[in-house]
Amino acid sequence: MLHYRLYKSDPANPWVTLIHGAGGSSSIWYKQLKEYRKRFNILSIDLRGHGRSMKGLWKKNDSFVEVADDVIHVMDHLNIVNSHFIGISLGTIVIQTLVQKYPERVSSQILGGAVIKLDIRTKLLVGIANIVKHIVPYMYLYKLYAWILMPNENHKESRLAFINQAKKMCQKEFIRWFALTKAINPYLTSLQLQVNNIPTLFVMGEEDYLFLAPVKELVKKQPELKLITIKDSGHVCNIDQPETFNQVTVQFIQKVHELLINSKRQSTG
């Protein structure tokens, strides 16, 4: 099973599950835990090959579906029936996959630095990396991508946090995760068509140069989806501007939780 960190507060409080991005770990939520622990029960997971989770879990045809299954196995082990989910970067793809396959387990989804489409620039970068991934040390590639995703001075802390966490990976794990990006655009499109009435909030940095535009386009087409952009923030907005990120995510979850409670009362009353 995946390694996880558990922070229980009150049985009456909702569960919130935190899913990090590629190369990260459960440690990247260090600026959220203090606020979240006041109001939620928290499950923070290290995805396969990351942090303290086991390496070498991949089978030949594993995909984001199997990665999502890993998360469900942890929830089942802990008897967590459903949870609000907060993800960052590639972790948002895992959450969207959960919404598609296990909608009854997802109370809401908050997608920070969401990856919903690769534009021409991103596809070119991914294509180059797929060509050289077996011969170039993965940390060279990861540092390059970190600089491309988080280029500004005010992104420095988030950039260094992800680079330092990525050092705990190994070349084989990096290659296997990167392989998931080969045909990712059609997969992401299918995910967006199956929100399954799950309350959804995108939280994006205004300086997220690669991924903000597709999210804005999607929200225009699907007004039931919500978007909040954060000033002076890049791709990893939970680290760049933690106070704003914490405020908007807490408010969203509390609102959804109240609606769920009222709905249950009406159905039983």
Side-chain angles (χ1 to χ4, degrees):
M1 188 167 14
L2 301 179
H3 177 265
Y4 61 86
R5 300 182 185 191
L6 203 62
Y7 306 91
K8 291 185 178 181
S9 55
D10 186 323
N13 288 340
W15 278 99
V16 172
T17 300
L18 308 176
I19 308 293
H20 62 80
S25 75
S26 54
S27 299
I28 64 106
W29 303 104
Y30 64 97
K31 292 193 174 185
Q32 279 66 59
L33 288 178
K34 183 178 179 180
E35 286 301 312
Y36 286 1
R37 291 177 70 177
K38 296 176 184 177
R39 301 166 177 86
F40 311 130
N41 298 302
I42 304 168
L43 170 62
S44 186
I45 290 177
D46 288 344
L47 298 176
R48 56 170 66 183
H50 292 74
R52 295 174 62 185
S53 285
M54 284 184 61
K55 297 173 174 59
L57 295 177
W58 296 97
K59 296 179 181 178
K60 184 177 180 181
N61 295 316
D62 279 359
S63 66
F64 279 107
V65 172
E66 284 70 33
V67 175
D69 289 343
D70 291 343
V71 175
I72 294 297
H73 292 160
V74 176
M75 293 178 66
D76 288 344
H77 173 72
L78 298 170
N79 296 314
I80 299 173
V81 177
N82 48 52
S83 174
H84 301 269
F85 282 83
I86 304 177
I88 199 76
S89 193
L90 182 134
T92 64
I93 304 178
V94 178
I95 295 173
Q96 291 173 79
T97 304
L98 286 165
V99 167
Q100 184 182 69
K101 189 175 181 183
Y102 301 100
E104 73 283 358
R105 308 298 294 270
V106 183
S107 301
S108 72
Q109 58 174 339
I110 297 176
L111 309 176
V115 180
I116 67 166
K117 183 180 181 181
L118 304 189
D119 64 12
I120 294 175
R121 295 170 298 171
T122 316
K123 285 191 285 186
L124 177 61
L125 292 169
V126 169
I128 293 171
N130 272 309
I131 292 171
V132 303
K133 65 186 178 185
H134 291 286
I135 55 176
V136 176
Y138 81 95
M139 280 307 301
Y140 289 172
L141 291 174
Y142 197 86
K143 287 179 180 179
L144 173 63
Y145 277 84
W147 277 99
I148 292 171
L149 281 172
M150 299 165 266
N152 295 357
E153 180 62 25
N154 57 310
H155 308 162
K156 183 177 179 179
E157 185 177 358
S158 55
R159 184 171 63 242
L160 291 177
F162 266 70
I163 289 173
N164 289 333
Q165 285 299 317
K167 292 176 181 177
K168 299 176 183 179
M169 294 184 74
C170 66
Q171 186 85 4
K172 287 184 178 179
E173 290 292 334
F174 177 83
I175 289 171
R176 194 60 189 82
W177 273 96
F178 215 89
L180 298 182
T181 64
K182 283 187 176 179
I184 200 169
N185 265 353
Y187 180 66
L188 290 173
T189 300
S190 72
L191 292 179
Q192 294 157 29
L193 296 174
Q194 300 188 52
V195 180
N196 289 323
N197 295 317
I198 303 298
T200 300
L201 172 66
F202 290 97
V203 184
M204 307 291 293
E206 286 189 352
E207 298 165 0
D208 192 341
Y209 305 117
L210 293 182
F211 298 112
L212 176 57
V215 171
K216 285 184 174 179
E217 184 179 343
L218 175 66
V219 172
K220 284 182 180 179
K221 295 178 181 178
Q222 296 179 226
E224 73 276 14
L225 308 177
K226 307 302 180 185
L227 167 63
I228 291 177
T229 56
I230 300 179
K231 292 182 178 180
D232 300 318
S233 176
H235 184 59
V236 188
C237 48
N238 68 304
I239 294 179
D240 289 342
Q241 295 294 337
E243 291 185 5
T244 303
F245 185 91
N246 296 346
Q247 180 183 16
V248 299
T249 54
V250 166
Q251 288 177 349
F252 180 78
I253 292 173
Q254 288 180 326
K255 183 177 180 180
V256 172
H257 184 61
E258 289 174 6
L259 290 172
L260 289 173
I261 291 175
N262 291 335
S263 177
K264 287 180 181 178
R265 286 174 179 168
Q266 291 175 4
S267 64
T268 57

